[in-house]
């Protein structure tokens, strides 16, 4: 019933595309060339933004949701009865803490990098970048005594933080001017990121070529030349969990 496709890294005149490219999964359900065409299939009168991610119902031919926080919750439980992998990443006993972590991470980190990157004044930039690095400092301290944000339990909060951290040194430091520190300068945060990256099923979702080319080639107001710089500062080939991270895995939440 549900279809998830991978759009192209480029997002230019017509927005996200399904154009052929390395690692791009075409829309073989509807055969559209651009993401906005899916929105128009769901609602022919739609004139808003065509954003990702989207969860598509191929039987009803409509968008179930285009909000990542909703989709992640759906995937946590909605498909349990049809053979989804076991795992509860939003357990009832920890929901208050997860919600608090999600709010901090979204406002200061997930959204903070964009607010800094697209700021059009120094004041607006500093209103974003200072809380961003305050939050990273706080997360570094928290992860100095635990393996995951909740302690020894991997949760939705880790997933939501990972999506920004994995792009941080590759894109946000330079492209969004979030350069007070690199993630590599945070020993616990960078070790935590490598730990998550090498967990089963996660590394396969990351394509650094797509990430870097999307940001540097699509945001021409920030990078008019479209040149993608070389280098990937954080070394993801290092062991996923060194001795200190292994010890942290034994620390109770």
């Amino acid at each position: 019933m549900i279809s998830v496709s991978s759009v192209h890294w480029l997002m230019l005149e017509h927005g996200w595309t399904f154009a052929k490219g390395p690692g791009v999964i075409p829309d073989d359900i509807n055969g559209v060339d651009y993401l906005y065409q899916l929105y128009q299939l769901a609602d022919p009168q739609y004139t808003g933004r065509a954003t990702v991610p989207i969860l598509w119902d191929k039987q009803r031919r409509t968008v179930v949701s285009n909000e990542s926080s909703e989709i992640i919750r759906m995937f946590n439980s909605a498909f349990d009865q049809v053979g989804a992998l076991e795992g509860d990443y939003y357990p009832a006993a920890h929901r208050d803490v997860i919600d608090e972590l999600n709010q901090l991470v979204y406002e200061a980190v997930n959204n903070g990098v964009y607010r800094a990157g697209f700021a059009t004044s120094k004041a607006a930039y500093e209103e974003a970048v200072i809380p961003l690095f305050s939050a990273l400092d706080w997360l570094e301290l928290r992860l100095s005594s635990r393996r995951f944000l909740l302690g020894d339990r991997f949760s939705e909060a880790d997933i939501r933080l990972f999506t920004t951290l994995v792009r941080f040194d590759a894109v946000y430091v330079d492209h969004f001017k979030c350069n007070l520190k690199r993630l590599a300068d945070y020993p616990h945060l960078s070790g935590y990121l490598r730990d998550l990256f090498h967990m089963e099923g996660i590394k396969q979702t990351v394509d650094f070529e797509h990430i870097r080319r999307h940001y540097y080639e699509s945001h021409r107001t920030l990078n008019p030349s479209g040149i993608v710089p070389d280098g990937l500062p954080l070394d993801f080939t290092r062991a996923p969990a060194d001795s200190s991270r292994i010890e942290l895995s034994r620390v109770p939440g």
Side-chain angles (χ1 to χ4, degrees):
M1 291 180 61
I2 303 297
S3 173
V4 178
S5 297
S6 173
V7 291
H8 202 277
W9 58 74
L10 286 177
M11 185 181 64
L12 299 176
E13 181 180 0
H14 297 292
W16 294 101
T17 82
F18 292 99
K20 291 182 179 180
V24 176
I25 302 171
D27 176 21
D28 55 4
I29 303 299
N30 304 288
V32 302
D33 296 319
Y34 297 98
L35 188 69
Y36 78 84
Q37 293 172 311
L38 285 181
Y39 281 81
Q40 291 182 338
L41 283 176
D43 178 4
Q45 305 304 316
Y46 184 78
T47 58
R49 295 178 61 205
T51 62
V52 295
I54 66 167
L55 189 61
W56 178 261
D57 186 325
K58 66 182 183 182
Q59 289 190 350
R60 297 170 57 200
R61 293 172 62 83
T62 193
V63 174
V64 177
S65 176
N66 64 352
E67 171 50 56
S68 58
S69 63
E70 294 178 358
I71 293 172
I72 196 172
R73 293 273 170 90
M74 292 177 189
F75 280 140
N76 188 58
S77 60
F79 304 103
D80 288 354
Q81 302 304 313
V82 291
L85 293 177
E86 293 184 6
D88 183 3
Y89 304 103
Y90 188 55
H94 299 285
R95 287 181 181 179
D96 288 346
V97 177
I98 291 173
D99 289 343
E100 290 176 6
L101 288 166
N102 285 345
Q103 182 175 356
L104 179 146
V105 167
Y106 174 75
E107 292 178 356
V109 182
N110 300 146
N111 197 38
V113 293
Y114 282 89
R115 290 176 56 225
F118 289 101
T120 56
S121 71
K122 185 63 179 299
Y125 167 74
E126 291 186 345
E127 285 177 5
V129 81
I130 292 173
L132 165 63
F133 281 92
S134 294
L136 292 178
D137 290 342
W138 183 85
L139 289 164
E140 170 75 1
L141 180 61
R142 185 176 182 88
L143 290 165
S144 69
S145 61
R146 62 195 72 206
R147 182 180 182 187
F148 303 118
L149 292 177
L150 287 186
D152 60 357
R153 181 165 189 157
F154 179 62
S155 74
E156 174 189 295
D158 298 297
I159 298 170
R160 291 178 57 156
L161 177 58
F162 173 82
T163 57
T164 297
L165 295 187
V166 77
R167 293 165 169 79
F168 201 86
D169 285 7
V171 174
Y172 300 142
V173 167
D174 293 327
H175 190 55
F176 280 176
K177 300 179 285 293
C178 298
N179 58 358
L180 302 188
K181 292 181 183 179
R182 302 168 305 155
L183 203 66
D185 298 324
Y186 290 97
H188 297 294
L189 263 177
S190 58
Y192 161 81
L193 175 58
R194 284 194 300 273
D195 197 355
L196 297 184
F197 182 81
H198 288 280
M199 288 176 64
E200 184 179 359
I202 293 182
K203 179 168 61 176
Q204 297 91 323
T205 71
V206 179
D207 187 322
F208 282 112
E209 180 183 7
H210 278 212
I211 289 170
R212 290 165 64 79
R213 292 191 65 181
H214 163 66
Y215 283 93
Y216 284 106
E217 293 183 9
S218 297
H219 300 153
R220 292 303 175 92
T221 56
L222 301 182
N223 186 36
S225 69
I227 294 173
V228 181
D230 296 331
L232 189 63
L234 191 61
D235 183 6
F236 284 90
T237 65
R238 287 175 53 187
D242 59 25
S243 59
S244 64
R245 296 301 296 170
I246 293 173
E247 289 298 316
L248 289 177
S249 70
R250 302 192 182 114
V251 176

